[in-house]
Amino acid sequence: MNDYVVSCCSTADLSEEHFKRRNIEYLCFHYSINGQEHSDDLGKSIPFDKFYQMMKDGAMTKTSQVTTGEYVEYFSRFLSAGKDVFHVCLSSGISGTYDSAMMAVNALKDKFPDRKLLVLDSLGASSGYGLLMDEIADRRDAGMSIDEIFKWASEFRYKVNHWFFSTDLTFYVRGGRISKAAGWMGGIFDICPLLNVDKYGRLRPRYKIRTKKRVISAIVQRMVEGADNGTDYNGKCFISNSACLDDAKAVAAMIEERFPHLNGKVLINNIGTTIGSHTGPGTVAVFFIGQDRREYVAPGGSKD
């Protein structure tokens, strides 16, 4: 029996029901909105529609990662109960939480010398990170040991492809991810940037596409080009969105039409309050299993 805990953070952007059904434990990040502190608790304290409306109305948000002390307390619950733990963190390319978790591992070594506490950097975010967790749960349930699954996931994480676009650049400008001039030009010319996550787990702009209709087609085309076996892809596809469900549904419908052998329907999730504090409303992200991100060639011909 593989009696170990599979764990992640709330930033994997799956629903509470999904986490429970797959027997995945999670620890919550934190955020503040208009100076009031909250837990990134999957939309329970502030529903997602209300959160994004507050952002549209001008609310200021700020996020904070899980601290080393919180990790020590969280991991100790399972270790004290005689459980080994495999925890996967939000990408080190966008957060320092992996370093905090590793400091907790070092702090707990002597206290629990007979237990295994393995921590992996997902190099992913939102429901791409969630898709990795779902695949990990599949292999745990199939009988992989904690050591086997750590080794497997260390390679497999590079095959989780992340593509996303935004129809509202306001919060990318506010967060310094694009310049004010680029944001202004994007608004004038109806440009929707198409981005992905690179092999280091960093967000990288790849294409500037005019109009929402064209960027929806473009994101599906990236899946056609990158998914295992092309349109014969038979794996899972997850989508996350920030208060633009109709756009997410339009992408999902196009994917289900182009990929008739999907493993189930496209699963649409919400972008949670941590990631959403930086994207704002209007972002749609698509996640699937495919091309190794270490082999991705960016527009222009460079590997990065």
Side-chain angles (χ1 to χ4, degrees):
M1 181 178 178
N2 293 307
D3 193 19
Y4 59 90
V5 173
V6 166
S7 170
C8 64
C9 294
S10 58
T11 44
D13 287 351
L14 300 175
S15 67
E16 184 176 28
E17 187 278 331
H18 194 132
F19 281 127
K20 288 181 178 178
R21 177 167 51 83
R22 297 313 315 270
N23 192 23
I24 300 170
E25 299 288 342
Y26 66 91
L27 181 60
C28 294
F29 268 54
H30 314 282
Y31 72 97
S32 66
I33 187 162
N34 286 337
Q36 293 190 334
E37 299 290 332
H38 297 277
S39 174
D40 179 9
D41 56 3
L42 313 182
K44 286 184 285 187
S45 58
I46 298 182
F48 295 121
D49 57 350
K50 181 178 179 181
F51 172 79
Y52 286 113
Q53 186 59 53
M54 291 173 72
M55 291 189 76
K56 288 179 182 178
D57 293 340
M60 300 300 294
T61 59
K62 185 178 180 181
T63 61
S64 58
Q65 65 193 38
V66 180
T67 67
T68 298
E70 288 174 308
Y71 274 122
V72 167
E73 181 179 358
Y74 174 73
F75 292 149
S76 294
R77 284 171 31 207
F78 307 115
L79 300 172
S80 297
K83 303 280 189 180
D84 294 332
V85 179
F86 175 37
H87 182 79
V88 185
C89 291
L90 176 66
S91 173
S92 61
I94 58 176
S95 170
T97 192
Y98 174 72
D99 291 335
S100 296
M102 290 306 298
M103 285 190 281
V105 171
N106 291 329
L108 291 167
K109 280 181 180 177
D110 293 338
K111 186 174 181 180
F112 299 99
D114 298 325
R115 298 267 59 86
K116 290 182 179 179
L117 173 54
L118 304 181
V119 173
L120 181 70
D121 181 352
S122 71
L123 299 177
S126 193
S127 296
Y129 174 17
L131 178 54
L132 175 62
M133 296 311 302
D134 209 58
E135 295 281 349
I136 286 170
D138 284 343
R139 284 150 184 84
R140 175 206 58 203
D141 294 347
M144 270 194 182
S145 69
I146 189 170
D147 292 308
E148 289 171 333
I149 209 163
F150 179 85
K151 182 178 180 180
W152 170 84
S154 296
E155 281 296 308
F156 186 81
R157 58 185 172 167
Y158 293 104
K159 288 184 65 65
V160 182
N161 286 220
H162 302 54
W163 284 96
F164 61 102
F165 68 81
S166 180
T167 57
D168 184 347
L169 303 183
T170 303
F171 300 92
Y172 291 83
V173 173
R174 181 184 293 178
R177 287 167 178 79
I178 64 173
S179 68
K180 290 182 179 180
W184 180 82
M185 291 291 289
I188 292 294
F189 293 105
D190 197 16
I191 293 173
C192 302
L194 183 58
L195 308 90
N196 73 352
V197 173
D198 69 10
K199 62 186 177 183
Y200 302 109
R202 304 171 302 187
L203 308 181
R204 300 298 301 272
R206 300 301 188 185
Y207 301 94
K208 297 177 181 178
I209 299 174
R210 292 191 64 184
T211 78
K212 181 165 61 177
K213 182 178 180 180
R214 289 177 179 172
V215 81
I216 286 174
S217 295
I219 201 170
V220 176
Q221 184 60 30
R222 298 291 81 76
M223 185 170 172
V224 170
E225 295 169 358
D228 281 345
N229 302 313
T231 54
D232 288 329
Y233 176 67
N234 61 0
K236 302 170 187 173
C237 179
F238 288 4
I239 287 177
S240 58
N241 80 101
S242 53
C244 50
L245 183 58
D246 287 344
D247 293 341
K249 287 181 176 178
V251 174
M254 191 175 294
I255 288 172
E256 288 172 358
E257 181 180 358
R258 296 290 300 275
F259 297 87
H261 306 297
L262 283 177
N263 182 353
K265 293 285 188 179
V266 173
L267 179 66
I268 299 178
N269 299 300
N270 291 294
I271 294 176
T273 48
T274 296
I275 305 297
S277 289
H278 301 284
T279 68
T283 294
V284 174
V286 174
F287 312 101
F288 55 90
I289 309 306
Q291 179 186 27
D292 189 315
R293 282 187 271 157
R294 292 169 292 191
E295 300 301 318
Y296 175 74
V297 178
S302 65
K303 283 190 176 182
D304 56 6

